[in-house]
Amino acid sequence: MDVFYYVVFTALCVPVAALAWIQGVGNLVEDTPASRAFRNNYLLVYCLQMLGDWLQGPYVYALYEKYGYSPAQIGQLFIAGFGSSLIVGTFVGALADKMGRKTAGIAYAVIYSLSCVTKHSPRFEVLLAGRVLGGIATSLLYSAFESWLVAEHFKHGFSEQALGQTFSWAVFLGNGLMAVFAGFFGDFLVERLQLGRVAPFDAAIVFMVIGAAVMVSTWGENYGDKGSRNIGEQFTRAWDAIVSDPAIALLGGMQSLFEASMYSFVFLWTLAMSPNKEGIKHGLIFVNFMTACMAGSFLAGVLMKRSKPEKFMKGVYFVAAAAMTVPMILAINPVKDPSLKGQPITLHGKIQLLAFCVFEVCVGIFWPSMMSMRAAYVPEELRATIINIFRIPLNAFVCIVLGNVEAVPLWCMFALCVAFLGVSFACQMRLDALHPNGYRRASSDENDTSAEGKGNAITEL
């Protein structure tokens, strides 16, 4: 029965819509015509690009499965994506700082569109190339847009609290609402119109190209450290910033470990909820996950009005670890019954769906909170480079998990996720201890290297 999926969706959606408007969406700290126009322009572009990304999510594994590839082969394809992000994507971040964040955003749309085109071929080598392109594009998506926003936001003189709310809106709309819409729209294309599992990838191209056109016509360009002569020097300065400031290193640890758990979960949840190949509804489950993430982004906006991320993120990591403990325990002694193949979701599947929704709420809180902390601690002129350096251990962790998906018991995979989240909790405790009185952005006299203004240093309040 599909009723359970809709019950969970309603339970998540109703309070999100009501509370988001009453306490979050309708209560902006800075809502001048200039700030509103700037925010709406960025959100339009970000939502279009995220929609292009989310449309692909529910159907990547399913498309590879349709082409006849085994879980091990599919794991290899996923490894290619994370591996390219690990190797090539790291340099892409430095190039974004050097060549311009707007240019990098446009490159994202072009590269990811080419990745979508490869999905029309069932040949393994073509799909592999597509995953490599997708890995590069993902590195741009999670560094270039944020870096462009932070530079332009402070260039226009908008407040730091307004930046936090823009991040919250971006996650609420781009990572939440667009993902929910992508789930329903993808299901409409595949199931209702019977256009096949490749149709969402074609739709993704359309939305990303529209977003790129808006960037070309409305965005200004900004840069990172133009004083660095080459990419090697850019990396050297970024690495020096990380090792010289424990706060930046701790942020990198939290980002890498939490996202490693998140991306591992993306691959593992299907195996956990359907150990006997039960007929679970992937599209509806995805919608529930993204609605929960949207709820988390709203909660992040509320929490950041009342406290600093250094304070409340400790609880978020603890709850996320507790949520991942549920599938870990259930996977220790899973129910193996061939007669359940094709049957509706089981009780264990329902329990895990609820636990995974709790984890997704934590994901929704994590994104804007981490973005706000990075905006305060990470030097503006090296932002995209440092963010992508943080992604090196993330992609390495995920490659290890995917490379051993058939060799290591499922409960061990989830136990690893719990351990990652536990270490994130410890890192957050340490960061809070380093800056117990908060922080503020201050101009740096020695880092006037941004094309749009001065770099920023951390100052205790």
Side-chain angles (χ1 to χ4, degrees):
M1 295 288 290
D2 295 344
V3 175
F4 180 75
Y5 302 108
Y6 289 106
V7 169
V8 175
F9 175 71
T10 303
L12 290 167
C13 194
V14 172
V16 167
L19 294 175
W21 178 255
I22 294 172
Q23 299 185 41
V25 176
N27 187 21
L28 297 170
V29 297
E30 190 171 54
D31 198 31
T32 64
S35 65
R36 185 165 55 248
F38 174 79
R39 182 179 61 248
N40 292 344
N41 174 267
Y42 174 77
L43 291 174
L44 172 62
V45 171
Y46 185 74
C47 286
L48 286 169
Q49 303 302 348
M50 289 304 299
L51 179 56
D53 184 44
W54 288 123
L55 275 168
Q56 304 172 53
Y59 298 98
V60 175
Y61 192 102
L63 182 66
Y64 295 156
E65 196 173 47
K66 178 188 174 184
Y67 286 153
Y69 294 110
S70 66
Q73 291 173 311
I74 295 174
Q76 292 172 7
L77 290 170
F78 274 82
I79 289 173
F82 287 108
S84 69
S85 186
L86 167 65
I87 301 172
V88 182
T90 307
F91 297 97
V92 164
L95 285 172
D97 280 333
K98 291 288 292 180
M99 301 180 66
R101 282 77 175 263
K102 171 186 173 181
T103 300
I106 296 170
Y108 157 81
V110 173
I111 294 171
Y112 220 176
S113 295
L114 292 174
S115 174
C116 290
V117 171
T118 64
K119 300 300 188 293
H120 283 273
S121 173
R123 296 175 57 185
F124 188 85
E125 58 270 24
V126 175
L127 296 174
L128 193 68
R131 290 299 302 176
V132 170
L133 292 173
I136 298 171
T138 300
S139 293
L140 290 170
L141 176 62
Y142 291 107
S143 60
F145 290 93
E146 177 184 334
S147 299
W148 181 91
L149 171 64
V150 173
E152 290 294 310
H153 182 94
F154 289 111
K155 171 191 172 184
H156 286 82
F158 302 137
S159 70
E160 186 171 342
Q161 190 175 7
L163 177 63
Q165 287 197 330
T166 300
F167 283 142
S168 185
W169 269 80
V171 177
F172 182 88
L173 296 173
N175 294 49
L177 193 62
M178 290 300 100
V180 172
F181 173 75
F184 284 121
F185 186 56
D187 183 74
F188 175 76
L189 294 174
V190 175
E191 303 295 339
R192 298 294 180 86
L193 297 184
Q194 297 291 313
L195 296 178
R197 294 178 181 177
V198 77
F201 297 91
D202 294 334
I205 295 174
V206 175
F207 290 113
M208 290 188 291
V209 169
I210 294 173
V214 176
M215 279 189 281
V216 169
S217 60
T218 64
W219 282 23
E221 185 64 277
N222 64 58
Y223 301 87
D225 185 4
K226 296 185 72 176
S228 297
R229 299 178 181 178
N230 52 53
I231 298 300
E233 184 179 344
Q234 183 86 350
F235 270 104
T236 299
R237 295 192 62 178
W239 181 251
D240 288 343
I242 294 172
V243 298
S244 64
D245 189 343
I248 298 178
L250 289 168
L251 282 176
M254 287 184 283
Q255 174 184 316
S256 297
L257 292 167
F258 187 92
E259 291 189 35
S261 299
M262 182 185 68
Y263 286 117
S264 298
F265 154 76
V266 168
F267 189 84
L268 297 174
W269 70 262
T270 300
L271 298 173
M273 294 180 64
S274 57
N276 302 292
K277 297 189 181 299
E278 289 87 346
I280 59 176
K281 303 295 183 180
H282 293 80
L284 295 178
I285 291 172
F286 181 77
V287 166
N288 280 305
F289 287 165
M290 294 304 101
T291 305
C293 183
M294 189 164 52
S297 68
F298 155 71
L299 287 175
V302 174
L303 290 170
M304 282 191 286
K305 291 178 185 176
R306 292 160 172 77
S307 180
K308 294 185 178 296
E310 289 90 337
K311 302 295 184 184
F312 63 76
M313 280 305 295
K314 291 177 285 187
V316 172
Y317 292 133
F318 180 83
V319 172
M324 284 290 104
T325 302
V326 174
M328 180 192 75
I329 293 174
L330 292 177
I332 293 176
N333 188 25
V335 176
K336 291 294 184 179
D337 186 354
S339 66
L340 293 175
K341 183 177 181 179
Q343 296 300 308
I345 185 171
T346 63
L347 176 61
H348 281 188
K350 293 177 180 178
I351 294 173
Q352 291 181 91
L353 174 59
L354 296 176
F356 289 150
C357 284
V358 172
F359 178 74
E360 285 288 354
V361 171
C362 296
V363 171
I365 300 173
F366 168 82
W367 284 116
S369 302
M370 177 57 71
M371 289 172 180
S372 293
M373 288 190 288
R374 284 197 300 244
Y377 290 104
V378 178
E380 154 60 26
E381 67 275 10
L382 300 168
R383 188 176 308 279
T385 306
I386 289 177
I387 289 175
N388 277 288
I389 288 176
F390 290 166
R391 293 182 64 86
I392 294 175
L394 154 68
N395 289 300
F397 290 151
V398 176
C399 286
I400 292 172
V401 171
L402 296 181
N404 294 277
V405 70
E406 290 189 335
V408 179
L410 188 61
W411 75 267
C412 288
M413 297 292 190
F414 282 112
L416 190 61
C417 292
V418 173
F420 287 165
L421 295 168
V423 177
S424 296
F425 173 83
C427 289
Q428 189 67 71
M429 290 282 287
R430 178 57 181 162
L431 181 61
D432 188 29
L434 286 173
H435 295 277
N437 299 318
Y439 55 86
R440 66 180 173 86
R441 299 179 64 87
S443 296
S444 172
D445 293 331
E446 63 182 6
N447 285 330
D448 189 12
T449 54
S450 172
E452 307 300 346
K454 292 186 176 182
N456 295 287
I458 303 303
T459 303
E460 290 288 344
L461 290 176

